[in-house]
Amino acid sequence: MRRLRDVFYINANFEEQSFIYYGMEFQEFIKYCPVELENLLITDGQFITNGFNYHWNFETAEGKEGILELTEEDIYGLGNFHWIDYSNEEDLNQCTPEEQAEVLYLSHFCKPLKSPFFDRINNQFVYLAHDDGWFCKLYCRDLSTFKEIIANKIIGAVSTNKRRKIYPMSDEVKNQLFEFTKEGLLIDFSHIFRDSRSVGLYFYVIGHYKNMDEMYNNLERNKQRAKVRGYLEHKNKQWKIDIC
């Protein structure tokens, strides 16, 4: 299983409340997500959980423990891995045939018939991944949730020394990075620069990609042609962005 953590690419569409991204696996998503999910309905990806819903004929991951167990499975080996979260089984079982059809359409075609969010089950996300860590399209009810995920993933990537405390990002820095995702943000973890006083890394605004092979296989060219090149640095207990 290939581990893909050298770069993190995010292509955001704020209008449809979606993100296409590369470089974050399912277990990282759960780790860095500030929202604690209650249950997952697995709409594509078989024989991976211990739960099953007979009303939907799909596997489920129930509760915090079930979801954590799922993060330990070989998600990459599934190929497609699609899920939608839900509040509780009673509400899930009360979904109408029309609502079920909408969820199935969304899982199969990776786009909604109407909306990716269903009030009956109160889902926060629709997660549509292929080859865990390579491609994911995420529908996010609250866009600011993904802003926090980005910040948490960056902090997690640079926090390798327990003796050096990495402080949270200010809202200003998080907002600036988040705005860049609208034009295709590439965060480069392959070269993290450290000295006794600071830690930092480069990021690039490289444009919109839906094909991750095209994005990743031309990575150096995409960096060179970036619309924006910046350096994100943690120093003196705070984060700052310098545009190069």
Side-chain angles (χ1 to χ4, degrees):
M1 176 176 170
R2 185 178 176 187
R3 310 302 289 186
L4 304 171
R5 293 198 177 100
D6 51 351
V7 297
F8 184 29
Y9 170 74
I10 311 106
N11 175 12
N13 185 327
F14 286 4
E15 290 185 1
E16 71 169 26
Q17 295 178 256
S18 73
F19 303 88
I20 291 174
Y21 62 85
Y22 163 102
M24 181 168 63
E25 299 172 347
F26 172 68
Q27 57 91 8
E28 293 178 284
F29 176 84
I30 296 301
K31 178 180 179 181
Y32 296 131
C33 181
V35 176
E36 186 171 311
L37 299 178
E38 298 179 73
N39 308 282
L40 306 183
L41 179 72
I42 314 301
T43 59
D44 195 347
Q46 294 183 332
F47 311 117
I48 198 71
T49 76
N50 293 321
F52 194 84
N53 183 282
Y54 289 93
H55 182 73
W56 285 78
N57 286 322
F58 283 136
E59 293 183 39
T60 59
E62 299 176 2
K64 182 177 180 180
E65 183 177 342
I67 294 172
L68 287 177
E69 287 179 0
L70 185 55
T71 64
E72 299 174 359
E73 297 293 335
D74 178 19
I75 304 298
Y76 183 88
L78 293 176
N80 286 344
F81 178 56
H82 299 175
W83 55 259
I84 183 170
D85 63 289
Y86 62 96
S87 54
N88 59 72
E89 189 173 29
E90 181 180 357
D91 290 336
L92 184 68
N93 290 340
Q94 289 179 358
C95 284
T96 65
E98 290 78 13
E99 289 169 327
Q100 287 183 291
E102 286 189 47
V103 171
L104 293 174
Y105 182 95
L106 178 54
S107 179
H108 185 74
F109 291 103
C110 297
K111 59 182 181 180
L113 272 172
K114 298 177 183 176
S115 169
F117 308 111
F118 302 86
D119 291 339
R120 189 186 302 275
I121 63 173
N122 193 32
N123 67 302
Q124 301 304 305
F125 304 105
V126 178
Y127 186 99
L128 307 163
H130 178 74
D131 291 347
D132 190 31
W134 184 265
F135 174 91
C136 186
K137 184 172 186 180
L138 179 78
Y139 287 94
C140 187
R141 186 185 289 265
D142 182 353
L143 292 177
S144 65
T145 300
F146 202 78
K147 178 169 58 179
E148 297 301 321
I149 290 173
I150 294 170
N152 292 341
K153 180 170 169 60
I154 293 171
I155 292 171
V158 303
S159 300
T160 57
N161 188 339
K162 294 182 179 180
R163 296 182 179 179
R164 173 182 288 177
K165 182 177 180 179
I166 303 296
Y167 286 79
M169 292 182 189
S170 68
D171 288 340
E172 180 181 1
V173 170
K174 287 188 286 189
N175 289 339
Q176 192 171 355
L177 287 174
F178 198 53
E179 280 297 307
F180 286 139
T181 66
K182 293 193 295 187
E183 297 297 327
L185 175 64
L186 180 79
I187 302 168
D188 190 355
F189 294 127
S190 64
H191 300 289
I192 298 176
F193 302 92
R194 293 182 173 87
D195 59 30
S196 60
R197 297 185 302 169
S198 68
V199 58
L201 47 80
Y202 283 103
F203 65 86
Y204 308 82
V205 177
I206 64 171
H208 299 286
Y209 289 91
K210 294 182 179 180
N211 184 322
M212 296 302 104
D213 290 294
E214 182 181 0
M215 183 281 297
Y216 189 80
N217 292 338
N218 299 299
L219 197 57
E220 293 307 314
R221 185 183 69 179
N222 290 333
K223 290 180 186 179
Q224 292 172 6
R225 296 181 177 182
K227 300 175 184 178
V228 177
R229 181 185 184 193
Y231 188 69
L232 178 63
E233 183 182 39
H234 179 272
K235 186 177 181 179
N236 297 328
K237 301 182 180 180
Q238 62 183 2
W239 290 88
K240 69 173 183 175
I241 290 176
D242 290 320
I243 303 302
C244 303

